Amino acid sequence: TGEILSLVSLPDFDPNDRPQPLVGKKDDPADSPLFNRAVQGVYELGSAFKIFAVAQAMELGLLGPGTMVDANAPMRWGKFKINEF
């Protein structure tokens, strides 16, 4: 359903005792103690969606809960070799 069951951003802070925000031009806003990573952060979709590929493979019977996958080995697609970043 897409229902959100839980949402957390750590480190947390007390809104009644707010830390000072970063103000320098060289400061990265994501380093601010007020930055809420759960709703403001950017995620690499490849990492976030791996669970869907695994779920599909399990549904198709291609692997199971005990299947070991070597993620360090390069993947071959046709004449191309794809390595981990």
Side-chain angles (χ1 to χ4, degrees), residues 70-81:
D70 183 6
N72 292 321
M75 181 175 82
R76 295 209 174 269
W77 186 263
K79 64 180 184 174
F80 300 101
K81 183 169 117 178

Side-chain angles (χ1 to χ4, degrees), residues 21-72:
L22 300 175
V23 292
K25 290 187 178 193
K26 295 189 318 184
D27 293 329
D28 183 1
D31 292 333
S32 169
L34 302 175
F35 187 82
N36 185 335
R37 295 188 187 287
V39 295
Q40 292 176 296
V42 177
Y43 299 94
E44 178 201 340
L45 294 180
S47 293
F49 285 99
K50 284 178 185 168
I51 190 65
F52 295 109
V54 172
Q56 180 69 32
M58 290 179 77
E59 221 173 68
L60 293 173
L62 300 174
L63 55 89
T67 305
M68 295 296 293
V69 178
D70 183 6
N72 292 321

